[in-house]
Amino acid sequence: MPATSRRLQAFTESVIRAMTRLSNQHGAINLSQGFPDFNPPEEILAALERATRGPFHQYAVTWGAPRFRQALAKKITHFSGTPVDPDQNLVVTCGSTEAMMCAMMTCCEPGDKVIVFSPFYENYAADAILSGAEPIYVPLRPPHFGFDPDELARAFAQGAKAIIVCNPSNPTGKVFTRAELQTILDLAEKHDAFVITDEPYEHIVYAPHEHVYMHTLPGAADRVIVCNSLSKTYSITGWRLGYVQAAPHIIAQARKVHDFLTVGAAAPLQEAAVAGLELPDSYYHGLRDLYTAKRDVFLNHLRATGLPFTEPHGAYYVLMDISSLGFPTDTEAAEWFVKEVGVAGVPGSSFFREPEHRFIRFHYAKQVETLNAAGEKLLRVKQGR
Ligand code: GLN
């Protein structure tokens, strides 16, 4: 029998998506895979209806429909304050997931080392391995998830070709400060490495914290590759719209990877999403307020359980410390939460390189009624196992 690729033995299927399946099977409230249970803005839905009747049913330009790229470049320029050229700096992808894979394949030779902070969003290690690279891990230590600059310097000194920075961070809710990002960039410059950022939660940041666009820092232009998506900003995770943003010589290569991987993102959805990209600033303020309110509601429910948890500064994930419940592993705990509590989360160990079984990750991108129902069920933990 011919053997399948050895690369695939180095990682498992996504635990996040497996938890969604388990949750559906048991009818639990699904706070595992991070996606909203509410609709995108009305403007986007109306534009989608219009797009279905328009000439958008064949391939778009492989690196993105011109109208979409123009609206996207304008929006990024507006928020980051750095000019983005729709024809030179962007490749439109199928979500940030493809953007990340595309960025890795653009940067890495087989055998290259890529620094990944741990805990990390589970795709990164798989992406590194699929692109032929080898991940090296640098811990972000709870409870504040800071990194040790000397430890990071030693990782770069091993000959890293790139580092991945998820900001705001999934699963920790960490928002990297300007000083931290500059430290990372200085090390990348010193060791001539790429910085690949993943920023889908750019607009979900809680005051007084602020999102700093790493590509705007001095020295970033030739080494920062931004991966981003419209999924979270416009509540359209199923549309799979994302992008790679970088210097023209990098984009010229990334276009080739993207072209042969997927040809392109869905044409009618690119057309419809322009309506989202053109929304006024008030939309983004509203989004931040909406998620601030959801965070407050959900954290209050977690407080009522008596179990400790991390307080997110950005994104919409919380790591709850379930060690006092005494489960041998977090995977068993997560199964118990689905079956006995009726709320699904993701075992924290799927985000950590270290043998860390203390946490379950919940997300709160849900309607307040859903969060309240989950909160009531979560009180079950007060009775213990
Ligand atoms: N980013 C989301 C999460 O971490 C969704 C992951 C996915 O399935 N693409 O849950």
Side-chain angles (χ1 to χ4, degrees), residues 77-155:
T77 303
H78 174 67
F79 281 103
S80 73
T82 300
V84 172
D85 182 328
D87 298 321
Q88 302 279 323
N89 298 128
L90 295 172
V91 184
V92 178
T93 57
C94 301
S96 193
T97 300
E98 187 209 329
M100 182 56 66
M101 192 72 241
C102 177
M104 300 282 260
M105 292 178 91
T106 302
C107 296
C108 293
E109 312 287 348
D112 276 347
K113 296 188 172 75
V114 174
I115 300 172
V116 176
F117 284 116
S118 167
F120 57 95
Y121 174 51
E122 59 174 11
N123 283 34
Y124 304 153
D127 291 344
I129 294 164
L130 282 171
S131 65
E134 179 198 327
I136 42 180
Y137 298 93
V138 171
L140 293 173
R141 293 207 168 80
H144 300 298
F145 299 104
F147 61 87
D148 174 350
D150 295 331
E151 209 169 359
L152 187 61
R154 285 196 296 276

Side-chain angles (χ1 to χ4, degrees), residues 28 156 190 201 289 299 374:
F156 271 105
K190 183 172 167 203
Y201 307 96
D289 293 348
L299 296 194

Side-chain angles (χ1 to χ4, degrees), residues 168 175 200-206 232-233 287-288 291 313-316 364:
V175 174
Y201 307 96
E202 63 182 308
H203 296 291
I204 305 177
V205 175
Y206 310 105
K232 311 294 170 24
T233 301
L287 186 79
R288 195 190 51 206
Y291 275 107
H313 298 163
Y316 49 51
Y364 49 84

Side-chain angles (χ1 to χ4, degrees), residues 16-17 32-34 121 170 201 232 317 361:
I16 297 177
R17 292 172 289 274
S32 63
Q33 188 180 16
Y121 174 51
N170 176 6
Y201 307 96
K232 311 294 170 24
Y317 303 100
R361 190 199 76 172

